Amino acid sequence: MDKKQNKVFIATSLDGYIADEQNGIDWLTSIPNPDQDDMGYLTFMTGIDALVMGRNTFETVMSFDIEWPYDKPVFVLSNSLNSIPEIYKGKAFLLKGDLKKILNYIHSQGHYQLYIDGGKVIQSFLNDDLIDQMIITTIPVLLGKGIPLFSNTSQQLHFKCIDTKIYLDYIVQNHFVRI
């Protein structure tokens, strides 16, 4: 396996949305999960050195009424943010500019296994052919409208499904690798 990997771990609705029209994600928990199965998230996180997310995802995480959920560096990509709130300094780092230069910087900091999160950031990475793996968990809910995981790409990208799991008798998770 390549030392440098950009990986996606995300959930979508059945019709491919990562959030509803109002950025809502309540539907993610619409299937009862009495044992709080994390569906492979903690295992995935053990293989990650750092996270790369967009401003919207960062602001969504900040809005949760929980302690900061990451024990790894979070690189926030934004052209509109000017700084990271004081409470998250040392945990989250603001970066701007070209994705390849950003990746070179993150790699120079010793982070090679990256969790790419957030719709626009994932789309940008895909457009530049910078995604190596995607674990996509499909929640069987049709939203009809919302924020799509995928948008137009500048080229065809081919992936191979290497694993499929079913959780809670409803939820399907597919693990794809770039070929």
Side-chain angles (χ1 to χ4, degrees):
M1 180 169 68
D2 188 0
K3 185 177 179 184
K4 297 175 185 173
Q5 290 269 306
N6 298 323
K7 304 173 186 180
V8 171
F9 189 103
I10 198 161
T12 70
S13 64
L14 196 55
D15 47 356
Y17 296 107
I18 58 172
D20 66 23
E21 278 188 298
Q22 290 77 40
N23 270 341
I25 56 173
D26 292 349
W27 56 273
L28 288 171
T29 56
S30 61
I31 305 296
N33 188 355
D35 297 328
Q36 300 303 304
D37 189 330
D38 75 351
M39 300 178 212
Y41 178 76
L42 289 178
T43 300
F44 173 79
M45 288 300 288
T46 62
I48 297 300
D49 299 328
L51 292 86
V52 179
M53 67 177 59
R55 177 188 55 83
N56 289 336
T57 303
F58 178 62
E59 289 176 349
T60 298
V61 172
M62 287 191 306
S63 75
F64 297 150
D65 191 21
I66 60 172
E67 286 189 36
W68 186 243
Y70 307 112
D71 61 356
K72 300 173 190 225
V74 174
F75 296 95
V76 180
L77 308 186
S78 175
N79 290 320
S80 60
L81 275 181
N82 292 319
S83 65
I84 296 292
E86 196 62 40
I87 190 171
Y88 302 110
K89 292 212 170 148
K91 299 173 184 178
F93 308 90
L94 182 61
L95 297 176
K96 301 174 188 239
D98 174 76
L99 282 184
K100 290 182 180 165
K101 289 179 183 172
I102 287 170
L103 283 175
N104 286 338
Y105 171 77
I106 293 171
H107 295 152
S108 77
Q109 302 300 301
H111 309 296
Y112 303 104
Q113 298 292 314
L114 303 178
Y115 174 5
I116 311 304
D117 198 15
K120 290 178 183 172
V121 171
I122 292 169
Q123 290 172 7
S124 294
F125 270 71
L126 284 167
N127 201 46
D128 286 357
D129 194 11
L130 295 171
I131 295 293
D132 301 295
Q133 295 186 41
M134 292 190 292
I135 297 174
I136 301 174
T137 304
T138 304
I139 310 299
V141 173
L142 290 172
L143 295 178
K145 294 180 183 175
I147 299 168
L149 173 57
F150 301 113
S151 66
N152 296 334
T153 57
S154 58
Q155 61 189 316
Q156 285 187 6
L157 303 174
H158 298 270
F159 290 83
K160 175 181 176 182
C161 186
I162 61 167
D163 192 28
T164 298
K165 293 183 173 111
I166 297 177
Y167 292 99
L168 309 172
D169 296 327
Y170 290 89
I171 298 170
V172 178
Q173 184 179 82
N174 290 303
H175 185 165
F176 299 96
V177 295
R178 185 82 169 89
I179 54 173

